[in-house]
Amino acid sequence: MGFVGTILGIVGFGFGFPIGILLGYFLYIYFQPTNVEKEEPIIRPLNELDSKTLHALLPEIPSWMKNPDCDRVDWMNQFIFDMWPYLDKAICNTIRSTTKPIFDQYIGKYCIESIEFDHLTLGTLPPTIHGVKVYETQEKQLAIEPGVRWAGNANISVILKFLSFRVTVQLLDLQIFLVPRITLKPLVPSFPCFANLSVSLMEKPHVDFGLKLLGGDIMAIPGLYRFIQETVAAQISNLYHWPKVLEVPILDGASGATKKPVGILHVKVVRALNLRKMDFLGKSDPYVKLRLSGDRLPSKKTSIKMSNLNPEWNEQFKLIVKDPETQVLELHVFDWEKVKMHDKLGMQVIPLRLLTPHETKTFTVDLLKNLNPNDSQNKRNRGQLVVELTFDPFKEENGRLSDTLDGDFRHSSIGRASHDISFNGGVLLVTIESAENIEGKHHNNPYVLILFRGEKKKTKMIKKSRDPRWNEEFQFMLEEAPVGQKIHIEVMSKRRGFSFHGKESLGHVDINLLDVVNNGRINERYHLINSRNGTIHIEIEWSTT
């Protein structure tokens, strides 16, 4: 009997302990006093509060009251308030459509029969913005930091059917306080005028919510409330706290988003075979024009081979690549004519995605009249073209700093940390952004003239402007790094038509390129020499293969 009693005691304890814990949980949850009278809040002016009370209230004071560089956005809060009933429905519909495939993955597993929303609403109280800080930067971007607070009455309940039992999980009384930095970059001339949206949190967010399971508030369990709140806030902070960034692409390359060069395409035009005879009394005088799709620069072309249907060129060219996944090399073969328009012998395109970086690949392509697959004339033999292609991507900029530096980053113009100088060849990218306060003696029709290594390039002319904005990009292909060299940039004005004062200089600047080679990139405003108050905004970037 002693042994049997011991066994029964152990079994009884094994069943009785968890049942007692469960009963205690429901007694604690359901028998808490709910009719406690709430005291009316006491409203007092800030100047009547002592320092200790005021310090405790600081987190609740709007940022526009504490920081002079933060702006009130009452109009934005009113706009959100008026739009909130419609935003609530739109956001909830998006949540339903997004979570449905996720829920479907678990149906049939772990004895789960169904998962569905019982209630889904963000409530009637919209989030409010307690102030917005706008950063001034020389980059092609717009950065703002809104202080967002949302103490809403959301009600989100999910019903999980498990072994014919219905388990209800309810999320309510959601509160979120956070300060995100929202950056729209780069700014482009295509609607909505920015290509990417990046979001990062500047402070650890405050997250508070109620959670009910089977109708009981599990957040009322001592110790569990603080643990869940801190865990959720820590996980959100680990994912998106600066310098970690959430990138949201808005525009692709085809939509007009500007892209920076990523490498150089080396093209060797080797030969052509069995070209068509175009001259009545002779053969053909072929040459090849080549360019990359989406490139605004003039096409490069080979020399002319007179009276030759199987010409050999063995000529090499370099083209700057911006998107190797979508760009193609366009090849056009023409018959040179002294008087009339040059005849087209054929054309072909080669996608850059077929290339492996740093590996040379030979292509022998059939020439076509056009790229229309239904054109019967493409079936005629127009000869072949042999080219060798090598794609050399630029070196990875592992030392690149974030565009959004700590504190006041409006003066951050260096895009890459200092590194060992590479004397290899590369691409010097010069972007003329804008100028301010320029003034000519006789006229103000400014354009920019760029002189470097005997090569001359210029922007378009803007009529009658003292603050012109060009935003034009120029490329210089160099065989070696421009160490110890300067680039001359001069703002000129030109009067159209006959005039005794046809051209005049509005100021110039000579930039030492050693800083560009050391840092990889500079983005600065320069005071123009021989100008009273004129400045010019220039970005210069050096990339090597």
Side-chain angles (χ1 to χ4, degrees):
M1 290 297 294
F3 176 74
V4 175
T6 302
I7 295 298
L8 292 177
I10 293 174
V11 173
F13 178 80
F15 281 99
F17 182 76
I19 292 175
I21 292 294
L22 186 61
L23 290 175
Y25 162 71
F26 281 102
L27 289 174
Y28 179 83
I29 295 299
Y30 285 102
F31 288 93
Q32 284 189 355
T34 57
N35 55 352
V36 179
E37 295 184 359
K38 297 183 179 180
E39 297 182 358
E40 291 292 332
I42 301 175
I43 301 176
R44 297 170 58 189
L46 291 177
N47 56 6
E48 296 183 4
L49 301 178
D50 55 54
S51 58
K52 184 177 180 181
T53 305
L54 187 60
H55 182 74
L57 288 176
L58 279 179
E60 306 297 329
I61 298 176
S63 56
W64 58 265
M65 295 182 62
K66 297 181 290 185
N67 302 320
D69 53 351
C70 286
D71 300 323
R72 295 181 64 176
V73 284
D74 294 339
W75 63 270
M76 177 63 74
N77 290 325
Q78 184 62 43
F79 174 79
I80 297 175
F81 180 81
D82 294 338
M83 289 291 295
W84 186 245
Y86 309 96
L87 290 173
D88 177 26
K89 294 181 180 179
I91 295 173
C92 290
N93 290 335
T94 303
I95 294 176
R96 289 181 185 273
S97 59
T98 303
T99 56
K100 189 177 185 305
I102 301 176
F103 290 167
D104 292 342
Q105 294 178 1
Y106 293 94
I107 296 177
K109 299 180 181 179
Y110 313 110
C111 302
I112 298 176
E113 298 179 6
S114 65
I115 305 176
E116 58 185 13
F117 285 103
D118 186 25
H119 297 284
L120 178 56
T121 177
L122 301 182
T124 59
L125 302 177
T128 58
I129 301 176
H130 280 222
V132 174
K133 184 176 182 180
V134 180
Y135 285 96
E136 296 179 3
T137 171
Q138 296 182 10
E139 307 294 332
K140 297 178 183 178
Q141 64 183 25
L142 174 64
I144 60 175
E145 283 185 10
V148 181
R149 296 195 173 192
W150 184 28
N153 52 353
N155 184 7
I156 304 174
S157 60
V158 178
I159 296 179
L160 186 148
K161 195 171 183 181
F162 177 78
L163 293 176
S164 300
F165 293 98
R166 291 167 59 91
V167 179
T168 303
V169 180
Q170 186 179 15
L171 176 71
L172 67 166
D173 298 333
L174 181 62
Q175 297 184 14
I176 301 177
F177 303 160
L178 49 85
V179 181
R181 174 174 292 172
I182 303 173
T183 306
L184 313 178
K185 63 177 183 179
L187 302 179
V188 296
S190 299
F191 190 80
C193 299
F194 57 93
N196 295 282
L197 185 148
S198 61
V199 180
S200 58
L201 299 179
M202 306 311 298
E203 301 175 359
K204 186 177 180 180
H206 170 76
V207 182
D208 192 2
F209 56 88
L211 189 63
K212 289 187 176 182
L213 178 64
L214 297 176
D217 188 2
I218 64 174
M219 303 298 283
I221 299 177
L224 183 62
Y225 170 79
R226 181 177 296 274
F227 172 76
I228 292 180
Q229 306 300 329
E230 292 181 352
T231 301
V232 172
Q235 290 298 322
I236 297 176
S237 181
N238 291 336
L239 289 175
Y240 304 118
H241 199 289
W242 191 88
K244 295 182 179 180
V245 177
L246 172 64
E247 293 282 354
V248 182
I250 305 298
L251 295 177
D252 55 12
S255 301
T258 56
K259 294 188 176 182
K260 295 292 184 181
V262 296
I264 296 178
L265 178 67
H266 299 266
V267 182
K268 182 179 181 180
V269 182
V270 182
R271 67 178 66 89
L273 304 171
N274 303 319
L275 296 178
R276 293 184 61 189
K277 177 182 176 182
M278 301 298 293
D279 296 339
F280 180 71
L281 298 177
K283 297 181 180 179
S284 293
D285 307 321
Y287 69 93
V288 180
K289 294 180 69 174
L290 58 151
R291 65 185 296 271
L292 286 175
S293 61
D295 198 346
R296 299 180 180 179
L297 298 177
S299 300
K300 299 180 181 294
K301 62 180 180 179
T302 66
S303 59
I304 302 171
K305 300 297 182 180
M306 306 300 292
S307 300
N308 197 335
L309 299 181
N310 296 280
E312 290 195 15
W313 288 281
N314 291 314
E315 298 180 16
Q316 298 185 3
F317 304 89
K318 294 180 181 179
L319 303 175
I320 297 177
V321 179
K322 292 188 176 181
D323 190 354
E325 293 297 322
T326 61
Q327 283 187 295
V328 298
L329 175 64
E330 300 177 0
L331 300 165
H332 298 265
V333 184
F334 291 90
D335 173 36
W336 180 82
E337 296 290 345
K338 188 174 183 179
V339 180
K340 63 177 184 178
M341 185 179 295
H342 299 181
D343 297 323
K344 187 175 180 180
L345 297 176
M347 60 90 63
Q348 189 55 272
V349 297
I350 302 176
L352 299 191
R353 64 176 179 271
L354 302 178
L355 302 177
T356 302
H358 306 296
E359 292 186 8
T360 301
K361 191 171 183 179
T362 303
F363 292 87
T364 301
V365 295
D366 295 325
L367 297 176
L368 306 173
K369 181 182 179 181
N370 52 55
L371 296 180
N372 184 5
N374 298 323
D375 194 339
S376 59
Q377 295 193 29
N378 283 330
K379 298 179 181 180
R380 298 180 58 182
N381 183 17
R382 297 176 179 270
Q384 294 179 317
L385 185 65
V386 181
V387 294
E388 294 179 359
L389 305 182
T390 306
F391 173 56
D392 290 335
F394 292 140
K395 292 180 180 178
E396 292 291 336
E397 300 173 355
N398 295 326
R400 182 174 292 275
L401 298 176
S402 174
D403 290 332
T404 53
L405 301 177
D406 278 327
D408 186 5
F409 69 106
R410 66 187 65 185
H411 300 295
S412 66
S413 60
I414 297 177
R416 180 166 47 188
S418 297
H419 61 285
D420 295 335
I421 298 178
S422 173
F423 293 93
N424 297 329
V427 175
L428 186 70
L429 194 67
V430 181
T431 304
I432 306 297
E433 300 284 356
S434 60
E436 294 181 356
N437 301 322
I438 57 175
E439 185 176 358
K441 294 181 179 180
H442 305 93
H443 42 76
N444 271 81
N445 302 314
Y447 66 94
V448 176
L449 183 65
I450 305 173
L451 298 176
F452 181 63
R453 288 188 173 182
E455 193 172 355
K456 181 187 297 186
K457 298 185 179 183
K458 63 181 181 179
T459 67
K460 64 179 180 292
M461 182 180 68
I462 299 179
K463 298 180 182 180
K464 300 179 180 180
S465 176
R466 295 185 179 183
D467 301 304
R469 180 174 296 273
W470 293 282
N471 193 23
E472 293 189 36
E473 180 182 288
F474 302 92
Q475 302 165 353
F476 296 89
M477 196 88 66
L478 306 179
E479 297 295 334
E480 58 182 11
V483 179
Q485 299 186 31
K486 293 184 178 181
I487 185 170
H488 179 81
I489 298 176
E490 186 169 5
V491 182
M492 303 288 295
S493 179
K494 180 179 180 181
R495 173 172 289 175
R496 306 190 66 175
F498 176 77
S499 174
F500 290 104
H501 305 283
K503 294 182 181 180
E504 64 174 294
S505 174
L506 306 183
H508 70 275
V509 62
D510 294 311
I511 302 175
N512 193 332
L513 297 179
L514 179 61
D515 292 338
V516 182
V517 177
N518 281 332
N519 299 316
R521 173 175 170 267
I522 61 173
N523 188 0
E524 294 286 353
R525 292 186 182 273
Y526 297 90
H527 289 281
L528 292 170
I529 301 174
N530 296 332
S531 176
R532 180 179 299 177
N533 299 312
T535 61
I536 185 169
H537 182 193
I538 303 171
E539 178 184 356
I540 305 178
E541 186 170 354
W542 170 247
S543 300
T544 60
T545 56

